[in-house]
Amino acid sequence: MPTPKKSPPRAATRQGEDRYRDYRFSFESGEYRYDVEAPLLLHPDFDTLLVATRRHLTKKESRKVILKKVGAITGREARARATEEVRLAGFLHHPRIARVFDFVVHDGIPFVVMEHLKGSFLFTLLDLAAAVAHRLPIPFAVHVAAEVADALAYAHECEDDMGTPLHIVHRAVGPMRIRLTLDGRVKLTNFGAAYSELAGRMPTPRDLLRGDPAYIAPELLRAIFAANQRKSDPLAPKELDGRADIFSLGLVLLEMLTAKYPLDTLGLLPDRPATRFPPGIRTEHSTWIGLDVLANRVLRFGTEEVLRASAFAFEPLRAILVQALASDPEQRYRTAADMRDDLRNYLHETGGPSYGRQEVMAEVEAIVRMATESKLLAAQPMEYGVLPDLEDLQRNEKRG
């Protein structure tokens, strides 16, 4: 079972119709009315996500959307960040990347309007699986990683309207940015922390570490330490490219395979970290572990640790993990497409049945059913509304 990385808020249960009353409000913006119905995610380590229905004011059309609150910054900068995220998303048209529609402002707070994908985050599924002592099948983990690698391969090569490469780096690839839909699709979400060379983009503040520190690539940390010594800009190193996302995806894959966060329980650290994180650097959200400890774990994580953690796997899969998680980006996969191809070849060469949406859907349904039937409140994820009532499942069975 994975070591818990975060403290979820109190689980959402069916205790009357008022359980979400603090998150029900409506407002109009542009051509649409937004009726916010419930939270999807409320946690200091991640962006606040609200489920809403967007209705056109003059046409008979409506759809469910997600409103993502732009956090960590306020005022004009927050609006500029939201605008930039929407502009960047306008170039990202891929079946494995969640769509972004617009941004709106309510009570002075900007929200990015995103595609609503019924299902769960990979993080939620990992938590539910751990709660019922269920290990994700290796083909499931490899397939999910291959789908995300495919999305990253597209994003890394994306160009603007003039054919100029955007050099996008997601910078926040992790289980809370990977969405598994009810019909078995895998979607990479939330490019809000992405680095790009989009014309007119806002520079990253010198003291702000963007993305998810828990899945950060070691070269970014080394750049921060080096820049701190020479008093230069530490957060946008020249060597930053898509290989940083490959490392993050490698950690996610290893986490799916082992049911453990790879940097948590390896005993790599002395009592006091040998390297101190440069003072004055802040993160976009709170972190579940001190930056000193996290930085040392990332920088000391190497081939030996990867092989030890993946001892149960066949050699071809271990080789993929070693290459994806190489500390030196020059030894890592050159492109996400190369990693995707190796993962898909592994699935093909292991000789099992083809793995796709039906298999993903069946696995997600099985885990949710086990977690629901166990009636363990501890199994409730920090993502609201994932677990149905057991009565709902039984009712659906009768209908079937």
Side-chain angles (χ1 to χ4, degrees), residues 3 12 23 38 48 78 86 113 120 122 143 158 182 204 211 215 231 235 251 276 293 299 328 354 364 374 382 392 400:
T3 302
Y23 297 96
T48 294
V86 173
V113 184
S120 70
L122 176 59
H143 171 77
C158 196
L182 290 182
T204 298
Y215 297 87
K231 307 300 180 183
L235 301 177
L251 285 180
R276 293 294 177 183
V293 175
L299 294 175
D328 181 357
S354 61
V364 172
S374 70
M382 62 181 172
D392 289 342

Side-chain angles (χ1 to χ4, degrees), residues 64-213:
K64 293 283 188 183
V65 296
I66 297 296
L67 300 182
K68 183 185 75 171
K69 181 181 178 181
V70 178
I73 48 180
T74 58
R76 291 183 178 179
E77 184 178 352
R79 296 191 185 201
R81 291 287 182 195
T83 303
E84 182 179 300
E85 181 174 348
V86 173
R87 286 180 58 217
L88 185 63
F91 298 107
L92 296 169
H93 303 287
H94 190 273
R96 294 173 187 87
I97 295 178
R99 297 170 61 193
V100 173
F101 302 118
D102 201 352
F103 88 93
V104 295
V105 178
H106 173 64
D107 282 348
I109 300 173
F111 292 88
V112 174
V113 184
M114 307 190 305
E115 179 180 16
H116 180 244
L117 301 165
K118 292 183 178 181
S120 70
F121 291 111
L122 176 59
F123 183 100
T124 301
L125 197 70
L126 287 168
D127 267 6
L128 295 179
V132 295
H134 175 78
R135 291 288 287 271
L136 296 178
I138 289 178
F140 175 91
V142 173
H143 171 77
V144 169
E147 296 290 276
V148 176
D150 189 53
L152 288 172
Y154 169 84
H156 294 163
E157 297 298 322
C158 196
E159 300 176 344
D160 66 14
D161 291 334
M162 303 299 293
T164 303
L166 290 169
H167 299 295
I168 296 173
V169 183
H170 190 285
R171 291 200 294 196
V173 175
M176 280 301 296
R177 282 87 182 180
I178 298 170
R179 191 82 177 159
L180 305 173
T181 70
L182 290 182
D183 60 357
R185 291 173 294 163
V186 179
K187 293 251 188 175
L188 179 62
T189 72
N190 201 342
F191 279 73
Y195 169 83
S196 76
E197 295 181 7
L198 181 69
R201 71 177 297 272
M202 293 182 63
T204 298
R206 291 175 59 87
D207 64 342
L208 179 63
L209 178 61
R210 304 211 69 188
D212 189 345

Side-chain angles (χ1 to χ4, degrees), residues 364-374 390 393-394 397:
V364 172
E365 288 179 350
I367 292 172
V368 171
R369 171 174 289 279
M370 286 187 287
T372 303
E373 292 176 343
S374 70
L390 183 57
L393 291 176
Q394 293 171 341
E397 280 185 346

Side-chain angles (χ1 to χ4, degrees), residues 28-40:
E28 293 182 3
S29 179
E31 299 178 330
Y32 296 95
R33 172 186 172 88
Y34 294 85
D35 295 315
V36 178
E37 302 166 2
L40 177 65

